[in-house]
């Protein structure tokens, strides 16, 4: 009888592990297997999709100085990036202008509070256009479309990544606002450094496996920055990273593929699943990464 019970438990464990693997591979395919389609892209501008390209890059913060919560998220993400890539993610505050970021391998992070700074965004993109040879038309104006935005631009002289995120500013933020600002910063950092795309999830009852998953939510009738807006956006996806997201960061860092939107990336995840799952569990257990994690996601693969 004991042997039968143990055999049944082993079979259940193996079945659960197989379900975890299948769910992870399906989600990785949805979030990473995509083809860029942009009329502005030109054949003489190389496009390379691999978050490993940002290993060792620096985070250049411009606009408002980072708030205490923003600094905590950036420090935790820097710790996670160092674990994943084996290289530090240095960060510095460079002042109001992206011109102070220089021309090295940097990710520009613009912080703001209050009204969306369309002018600052336009100047930042103009600077990236100048540094990386993006081929964008001169004189074009750009608008801030969301409290959190991450964009990667491919140019003749390299790749420029720009993140723009709203923070609480000078006014004390309540628990709802703090959770909201932390959530959007975590999401934009994760997507910028992995090239993962949003994945629509229509079953709200199914639970979340990833920060990338998003329940379609109509925010058009809600005032940007209102408690109703913040609450609705927070309910549309996890407030932080899930075990799957840490798993994918390790996968992006280690996959022996040229680009992470090619079929070989999924093949690597399948073959290295157990190792990647163990690395994700170790990162989940590190207290320094706690500010990034969403407890509602669960413990991760068995």
């Amino acid at each position: 009888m004991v042997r039968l019970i143990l055999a049944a438990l082993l079979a259940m464990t193996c079945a659960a592990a197989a379900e975890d693997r299948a769910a992870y591979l399906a989600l990785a395919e949805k979030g990473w297997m995509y083809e860029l389609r942009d009329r502005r892209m030109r054949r003489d501008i190389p496009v390379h999709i691999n978050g490993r390209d940002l290993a060792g890059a620096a985070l250049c913060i411009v606009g408002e100085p980072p708030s205490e919560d923003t600094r905590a998220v950036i420090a935790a993400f820097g710790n996670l990036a160092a674990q994943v890539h084996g290289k530090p993610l240095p960060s510095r505050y460079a002042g109001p202008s992206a011109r102070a970021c220089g021309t090295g391998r940097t990710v520009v992070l613009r912080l703001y509070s209050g009204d969306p700074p369309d002018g600052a965004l336009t100047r930042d993109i103009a600077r990236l256009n100048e540094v990386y040879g993006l081929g964008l038309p001169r004189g074009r104006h750009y608008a801030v479309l969301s409290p959190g935005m991450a964009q990667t631009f491919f140019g003749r002289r390299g790749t420029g990544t720009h993140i723009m995120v709203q923070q609480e500013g000078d006014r004390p933020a309540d628990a709802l606002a703090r959770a909201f600002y932390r959530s959007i910063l975590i999401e934009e950092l994760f997507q910028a450094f992995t090239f993962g795309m949003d994945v629509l999830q229509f079953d709200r009852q199914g639970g979340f496996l990833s920060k990338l998953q998003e329940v379609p939510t109509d925010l058009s009738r809600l005032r940007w920055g209102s408690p109703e807006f913040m609450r609705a956006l927070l309910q549309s996806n996890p407030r932080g990273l899930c075990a799957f997201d840490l798993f994918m960061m390790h996968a992006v860092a280690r996959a022996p593929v040229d680009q992470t939107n090619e079929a070989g990336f999924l093949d690597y995840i399948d073959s290295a699943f157990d190792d990647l799952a163990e690395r994700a569990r170790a990162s989940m257990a590190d207290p320094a990464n706690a500010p990034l994690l969403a407890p509602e996601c669960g413990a991760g693969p068995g």
Side-chain angles (χ1 to χ4, degrees), residues 44-46 103-105 126-135 138 153-160:
D44 61 333
I45 295 181
T103 59
R105 294 180 61 240
R127 175 58 176 169
L128 295 179
N129 193 27
E130 176 185 317
V131 172
Y132 297 108
L134 307 181
R138 292 186 178 182
F153 301 90
F154 302 94
R156 297 182 182 88
R157 294 189 293 274
T159 302

Side-chain angles (χ1 to χ4, degrees), residues 161-207:
T161 298
H162 185 276
I163 304 172
M164 173 173 275
V165 178
Q166 191 178 36
Q167 61 175 6
E168 61 265 36
D170 295 332
R171 294 183 179 181
D174 58 19
L176 173 64
R178 292 184 65 188
F180 173 78
Y181 294 126
R182 291 169 71 95
S183 177
I184 59 176
L185 176 57
I186 291 169
E187 181 168 352
E188 302 311 325
L189 286 170
F190 173 68
Q191 291 195 273
F193 279 83
T194 63
F195 281 97
M197 301 290 284
D198 291 335
V199 176
L200 293 181
Q201 177 166 315
F202 297 96
D203 179 14
R204 187 182 290 271
Q205 303 303 318

Side-chain angles (χ1 to χ4, degrees), residues 14 38 53 56 63 76 97 102 143 148 170-172 175 196 224 227 238 266 286:
C14 292
D38 192 333
D53 294 344
S97 173
D170 295 332
R171 294 183 179 181
W224 191 347
L266 287 180
D286 185 347

